[in-house]
Amino acid sequence: MNLNPLGQQTEYISVYSPHLLFPISRAESRKLLGIGTTLPFFGEDIWTAYELSWLDPKGKPVVAVAEFFIPCDSEFMIESKSFKLYLNSLNQTRYQSVAEVEDLLVKDLSAVACAMVRVRLYPLLPAQASHWRAQPAHLLNAVSLNGILLDELPISVDTYHPAPELLSTASEEVSESLVSHLLKTNCPVTGQPDWASICVSYTGCKIDHENLLRYIISFREHQDFHEHCVERIFNDIADHCKPESLTVYARYTRRGGLDINPFRSSNPEAIPALLRLVRQ
């Protein structure tokens, strides 16, 4: 298996090379959160690839958008730069059909994640959709996360590293969804900023909105992978606010043509909304 390419100078290979995929164990980060083999949540990581291309049997390029669904109980997640390098390796490789490419992606990604990864490929033009397995409707227009927007609250902030002690609740019981576009975390290897919108949906004692916003902003200097940050947020809210039910969904902006959108929920039947935000 290759070394982690993140932060390293790399050669861009344009012929099919599945060995480029680099797995990252989920277990190490979860140990820091006190999470063992029994997970306190359900969910998946939804990746969108906006720069996918290959050649048809006659050598003519095909372009597409792809969504990948990696279950959160997979042993490994896939390092994002290695994912991009792998997708680039399809650029000069010929395939008989869209279905062949989709099946190949499922096989390779599932092997690296050690779990079944779902893949959907979308054409860029709606008129082409009848020839593809999936329809691209939800990617055509930018939408907003549904919920109460916290970002205009007149708060003062002085904490920029995760501070779960900021979280607090009142005795009032509510069911609500709270949204912020102010989540920023940083790559643990390169230090590059990662920007995201986040939706916290819960039922239980009312979470103080101002303190939740302060808590979200407290990740501003935190370095970790997208998936680990969302799991930390889920765990902190679950531990400090003790909601009856909880879902945390973050939509990160793309880097290198890929965005990563972790979804974690206490409800095993919860389904993440497939959408594209204005920054995506």
Side-chain angles (χ1 to χ4, degrees):
M1 186 67 68
N2 282 357
L3 295 176
N4 189 342
L6 189 60
Q8 307 295 323
Q9 184 172 352
T10 51
E11 177 185 359
Y12 281 81
I13 300 171
S14 59
V15 178
Y16 173 61
S17 303
H19 70 274
L20 292 169
L21 290 166
F22 183 82
I24 296 177
S25 173
R26 297 185 187 270
E28 293 305 312
S29 176
R30 288 173 174 169
K31 284 181 183 177
L32 299 177
L33 299 178
I35 299 175
T37 55
T38 301
L39 300 181
F41 45 66
F42 305 88
E44 55 192 354
D45 304 321
I46 306 167
W47 297 61
T48 316
Y50 295 91
E51 301 174 6
L52 181 62
S53 183
W54 62 91
L55 302 178
D56 73 8
K58 296 182 178 180
K60 181 181 177 181
V62 181
V63 292
V65 174
E67 283 182 324
F68 308 96
F69 303 83
I70 303 175
C72 71
D73 60 356
S74 63
E75 182 177 356
F76 298 97
M77 57 188 194
I78 300 172
E79 191 280 316
S80 59
K81 184 175 180 180
S82 79
F83 205 149
K84 176 62 177 176
L85 292 171
Y86 163 71
L87 294 178
N88 280 339
S89 80
L90 304 183
N91 289 349
Q92 291 300 116
T93 307
R94 300 189 184 205
Y95 296 99
Q96 293 296 318
S97 65
V98 173
E100 181 184 2
V101 175
E102 189 173 295
D103 291 342
L104 181 71
L105 292 168
V106 168
K107 176 179 69 70
D108 290 344
L109 297 172
S110 297
V112 174
C114 291
M116 179 54 64
V117 175
R118 294 186 293 119
V119 177
R120 295 178 183 173
L121 300 185
Y122 303 99
L124 300 191
L125 300 176
Q128 299 173 319
S130 61
H131 303 294
W132 297 58
R133 292 184 183 180
Q135 304 298 314
H138 66 280
L139 293 175
L140 295 180
N141 298 297
V143 299
S144 299
L145 289 169
N146 291 323
I148 300 169
L149 183 64
L150 303 179
D151 298 350
E152 297 302 316
L153 292 173
I155 63 171
S156 297
V157 181
D158 59 8
T159 302
Y160 302 105
H161 292 277
E165 63 274 11
L166 291 171
L167 295 164
S168 63
T169 60
S171 58
E172 179 186 358
E173 293 273 334
V174 300
S175 291
E176 61 182 6
S177 294
L178 306 175
V179 172
S180 176
H181 303 298
L182 302 186
L183 178 61
K184 171 187 170 287
T185 60
N186 301 287
C187 173
V189 177
T190 66
Q192 293 184 67
D194 295 315
W195 308 91
S197 298
I198 188 168
C199 181
V200 176
S201 300
Y202 73 98
T203 296
C205 291
K206 185 179 179 67
I207 297 175
D208 184 280
H209 290 188
E210 291 188 353
N211 283 335
L212 177 61
L213 182 58
R214 290 188 179 95
Y215 167 72
I216 291 170
I217 293 171
S218 76
F219 279 76
R220 194 167 180 82
E221 291 297 316
H222 182 60
Q223 293 191 328
D224 208 343
F225 295 108
H226 302 51
E227 301 91 335
H228 295 162
C229 289
V230 170
E231 292 183 359
R232 181 182 291 270
I233 291 170
F234 181 99
N235 250 35
D236 285 348
I237 295 174
D239 289 345
H240 287 262
C241 302
K242 304 193 183 309
E244 297 170 22
S245 64
L246 174 65
T247 296
V248 178
Y249 188 17
R251 302 281 309 184
Y252 275 85
T253 60
R254 74 184 79 167
R255 188 193 296 169
L258 285 170
D259 64 36
I260 308 172
N261 309 286
F263 176 88
R264 301 291 184 269
S265 180
S266 61
N267 179 4
E269 298 182 358
I271 299 174
L274 298 182
L275 44 83
R276 181 173 64 85
L277 303 183
V278 66
R279 291 190 296 177
Q280 296 183 302

